[in-house]
Amino acid sequence: QVQLVESGGGLVQAGGSLRLSCAASGSVSSINVMGWYRQAPGKQRESVATITSGGTTNYADSVKGRFTISRDNTKNTLYLQMNELKPEDTAAYYCNADVAVTTTILNRYWGQGTQVTVSS
């Protein structure tokens, strides 16, 4: 089992910055990939950025060059630095951790979410 707790959301003006944090606990050594997802009202949840245990990152095209994902394994914490925020970045942001139980079975864990609101 993995528990995830996000923090750092809030209200910011367009062009501003925020840093989200996600503290992981439990079986953290078993985590393969961690990521940030977001869901705006009336829309499906979408991947924002992911990072593997080896440090390989992947970003949605809409945030490339503006957002940076990182993880501090000594603190079991995942971060998302968000710069040049736009109103379309407004959403609930969720931390995710994937644990490969076998080569075909994946357990997915989610945090409770943190709201990011960007005003124009």
Side-chain angles (χ1 to χ4, degrees), residues 37-71:
Y37 290 70
R38 67 186 182 187
Q39 187 168 17
K43 295 187 176 181
Q44 289 189 332
R45 189 172 296 188
E46 62 176 0
S47 174
V48 176
T50 61
I51 184 168
T52 68
S53 56
T56 300
T57 58
N58 189 57
Y59 295 91
D61 288 342
S62 59
V63 306
K64 282 180 181 176
R66 300 189 297 122
F67 291 10
T68 302
I69 188 171
S70 61
R71 61 195 285 181

Side-chain angles (χ1 to χ4, degrees), residues 8 10 12-13 15 17 26 32 43 48 54-55 62 69 75 79 88-89 94 101 111-112 117 119:
V12 65
Q13 288 189 332
S17 299
N32 302 107
K43 295 187 176 181
V48 176
S62 59
I69 188 171
K75 296 181 179 180
Y79 301 100
E88 50 264 43
D89 294 319
Y94 297 90
V101 179
Q112 81 287 354
T117 302
S119 63

